[in-house]
Amino acid sequence: MIQLTNRQARQFLLLKHGLLGKYQFTGKQGVLDFVRQVGCIQYDPIDVCGKNAELVLQSRIRGFTKNMLDELLYKDRFLVDYPDKNLAIIPVEDWPYFERYRQAARQHAKRYPEMEALAEQVLAQIQNHGVLSSNDLKLDGNFNWQSVIHWSSGNNSSRSVLEQMYSTGELIIHHKKGTRKYYDIAGKYIQPNLLNAPEPLKDELEHHKWRVLRRIGAVGLLWNRASDAWLNIWGLRAEQRNEVFRQLLHEARIVAVAVEQMKDTLYCRAEDLPLIEVVLQNPAPKLRCELIAPLDNFIWDRKLINELFGFDYTWEIYTPAIKRKFGYYVLPLLYGESLIGRAEVIAERKAGTLVVKNIWYECGIKPTKQMRTALDNCFQNFALFNGCKTISTESLN
C-alpha cells in the first residue's frame, strides 16, 4: 500500500487532471487526449458562462475554444454524444462497450407499439430531407415515453422517437444549435468496425471491471464505497463493487493508497504510479488559478473532495432560490493546490461583458497580491473563452 500525505494526495489529483503547474494539454489534440484519459466528460445544456463540458476543458486546455469541441464531435467524429455518467461525451472508439445499453433500449422499444412505424417514418424523412430536429418532425400519436438509458422522457411523439432511436444507436447527434439537437443516421459517421462491433465484454463482471477502472481513471483517486462517481453503471451494487475491487487489485490493475488521517483506503490505476512517484518528490509547481465546472470529473465525488480539500460544494441550480447559500450557477475556484472559494460568473454575450457577480472565499482565505494577480488572469482567460471583451466586477465593490 502506498502512503501519501494529504498534500501529496491533492497534488496527485490535480496533476492527474492537468490543473496544477504548467498546462499539460494544448489545443484540439489536447482536448482529445484529455477526454481519452478520463473516458467521458458530462454534458449539460445549461449555458450561463459556458456549458459544463466546455467548462471542464477550458480549465485544462491551453488555448481552448468551444469550436474545438464542436469539431471533434461533429466534424472529425473522434468524440460522440452518448450516455455514460449520465449525458456525456465519450471517445468514439469506446462505442462498442455500450452495446449492452443499446440492446436494452431496443428491448425497451417493444413497450411502445407505435414506435416501429414511427421510426420508419423518421428514417424515410432523414433519407429524403437530411438531418432533422424534433421541430422538423411532425408525427402523429401521443404517448408517454421514458428512456431506459438516461433521464429523458415526455409525451411529444417526435422528440420521443428521435431520443429512442438515439438510445438504440440508430441515430446520432449530428450537431447542436444551442440546446436543440439535430439527428442523422449513425452509420454515416461511425465506422462499421465500431458501429457493428459485438459487445467486447459480454460477462457482466468483466464489464463492471472496465467501467470501474475507467471511472477511477476519470477521477484519479476513488474509494470502494457508495459514490456519485459510479452513477449509471447498471447492476453495480456493493456486493458487485467489492468483487470488482478485489479482482482489480489481484490483477494489479489498481493500487491501494492510504492518505494520512483518512479512514477509507483510496485507489488509483496502476498506470498512474509514475505520477505517484512525482508527488513523492514533494514538487513545488507554479500556482495557477482556474474556475472548475459544476459537474467536473475532478469533483464527481464531493465527499472525497471535502475530506481531501476541506471544501464542501453543492451545485445549487436545483435548490429553491430562497434556500441557496450562494447562487444559481456557482463555480469552485481553484488556486494552486487549494479550493479557495467559489464564484458566480455570468457571460452577458450581447453586451460582450463577463460579469463577476460574486466571489465567496473559504474561511481563513485572505487574497494576497499574488493571488489577486492569478485571479485577474483567470477571469481574463475566462472572458476570452466566453467571447467577452470586458469584465465587470462592480457588484464586488
Side-chain angles (χ1 to χ4, degrees):
M1 182 177 290
I2 293 168
Q3 305 283 334
L4 295 181
T5 66
N6 179 278
R7 183 188 181 194
Q8 287 168 338
R10 285 185 284 122
Q11 282 189 333
F12 172 82
L13 272 180
L14 293 168
L15 287 169
K16 168 77 174 169
H17 281 277
L19 289 168
L20 185 62
K22 294 180 179 179
Y23 287 94
Q24 298 172 26
F25 305 96
T26 302
K28 201 161 85 169
Q29 185 60 48
V31 173
L32 186 58
D33 291 343
F34 176 73
V35 178
R36 283 174 169 162
Q37 173 182 295
V38 295
C40 82
I41 51 176
Q42 279 186 258
Y43 173 79
D44 187 88
I46 295 167
D47 190 354
V48 173
C49 53
K51 299 183 183 75
N52 183 77
E54 297 165 344
L55 293 170
V56 170
L57 296 168
Q58 65 80 33
S59 63
R60 295 159 166 85
I61 315 297
R62 183 187 292 278
F64 175 74
T65 64
K66 298 173 185 180
N67 189 53
M68 290 177 184
L69 182 58
D70 277 353
E71 285 187 3
L72 286 164
L73 278 164
Y74 308 126
K75 181 182 176 183
D76 306 323
R77 303 286 171 180
F78 293 143
L79 301 176
V80 63
D81 298 279
Y82 201 73
D84 183 345
K85 186 180 180 289
N86 299 330
L87 294 178
I89 294 167
I90 66 172
V92 72
E93 60 264 26
D94 287 349
W95 179 267
Y97 291 91
F98 294 87
E99 174 59 24
R100 64 181 59 225
Y101 298 92
R102 291 189 290 275
Q103 185 58 41
R106 293 177 197 122
Q107 289 294 116
H108 182 67
K110 295 177 181 178
R111 297 177 56 185
Y112 304 94
E114 311 96 324
M115 194 66 73
E116 186 175 353
L118 293 177
E120 289 177 3
Q121 291 182 47
V122 169
L123 291 174
Q125 181 145 338
I126 290 176
Q127 287 163 354
N128 292 330
H129 303 289
V131 300
L132 52 78
S133 74
S134 57
N135 272 8
D136 305 318
L137 191 63
K138 304 302 177 188
L139 297 177
D140 296 330
N142 186 16
F143 57 94
N144 287 314
W145 169 85
Q146 173 135 15
S147 172
V148 73
I149 65 169
H150 62 95
W151 50 260
S152 184
S153 63
N155 58 10
N156 179 311
S157 57
S158 298
R159 181 173 176 272
S160 296
V161 174
L162 288 171
E163 289 275 1
Q164 172 64 27
M165 295 176 74
Y166 163 72
S167 298
T168 63
E170 293 171 87
L171 302 181
I172 63 168
I173 296 173
H174 179 271
H175 69 281
K176 299 189 188 93
K177 285 185 180 177
T179 59
R180 184 159 300 283
K181 293 171 282 191
Y182 290 77
Y183 297 88
D184 203 351
I185 297 167
K188 294 181 182 179
Y189 305 97
I190 298 178
Q191 295 176 3
N193 65 313
L194 294 174
L195 184 70
N196 304 318
E199 173 75 46
L201 301 170
K202 292 185 179 180
D203 180 77
E204 185 176 56
L205 177 60
E206 290 303 313
H207 179 75
H208 280 160
K209 284 161 66 176
W210 183 79
R211 300 292 302 276
V212 167
L213 192 62
R214 197 161 170 269
R215 293 289 175 89
I216 292 172
V219 177
L221 287 171
L222 274 176
W223 38 31
N224 178 15
R225 55 182 268 191
S227 169
D228 283 350
W230 314 128
L231 283 175
N232 210 31
I233 303 179
W234 293 1
L236 188 70
R237 295 174 292 277
E239 181 182 352
Q240 288 78 12
R241 194 181 67 242
N242 290 338
E243 180 60 17
V244 165
F245 271 83
R246 188 191 70 78
Q247 291 201 18
L248 290 175
L249 274 168
H250 178 72
E251 295 165 7
R253 296 165 76 185
I254 60 174
V255 178
V257 178
V259 179
E260 63 175 348
Q261 298 181 341
M262 280 189 67
K263 181 181 72 173
D264 292 279
T265 300
L266 302 181
Y267 300 87
C268 72
R269 293 179 64 145
E271 64 196 55
D272 288 327
L273 283 174
L275 193 55
I276 294 282
E277 293 300 321
V278 170
V279 301
L280 289 173
Q281 302 305 312
N282 293 313
K286 180 182 176 182
L287 301 184
R288 208 169 97 208
C289 184
E290 299 289 355
L291 288 159
I292 303 299
L295 301 173
D296 198 294
N297 304 53
F298 168 56
I299 58 171
W300 275 357
D301 192 316
R302 291 175 188 168
K303 291 179 181 177
L304 177 62
I305 291 300
N306 198 0
E307 285 212 32
L308 283 176
F309 289 82
F311 186 80
D312 186 12
Y313 177 67
T314 300
W315 193 31
E316 296 183 305
I317 195 167
Y318 300 115
T319 303
I322 196 168
K323 295 183 178 181
R324 287 181 193 135
K325 296 172 73 174
F326 300 103
Y328 171 73
Y329 204 91
V330 172
L331 308 181
L333 194 54
L334 176 73
Y335 176 62
E337 301 169 17
S338 302
L339 288 159
I340 61 167
R342 57 206 86 203
E344 185 171 14
V345 186
I346 300 168
E348 294 184 351
R349 296 187 178 92
K350 287 185 179 179
T353 300
L354 185 78
V355 178
V356 183
K357 189 174 179 181
N358 210 337
I359 298 176
W360 297 268
Y361 292 105
E362 290 291 277
C363 183
I365 296 294
K366 294 182 179 179
T368 61
K369 183 178 179 180
Q370 185 182 18
M371 186 187 294
R372 289 188 184 280
T373 299
L375 274 168
D376 289 345
N377 187 55
C378 174
F379 288 126
Q380 286 168 13
N381 289 336
F382 201 67
L384 185 65
F385 153 73
N386 275 292
C388 295
K389 294 182 178 178
T390 59
I391 300 174
S392 172
T393 58
E394 289 182 12
S395 57
L396 299 178
N397 299 329

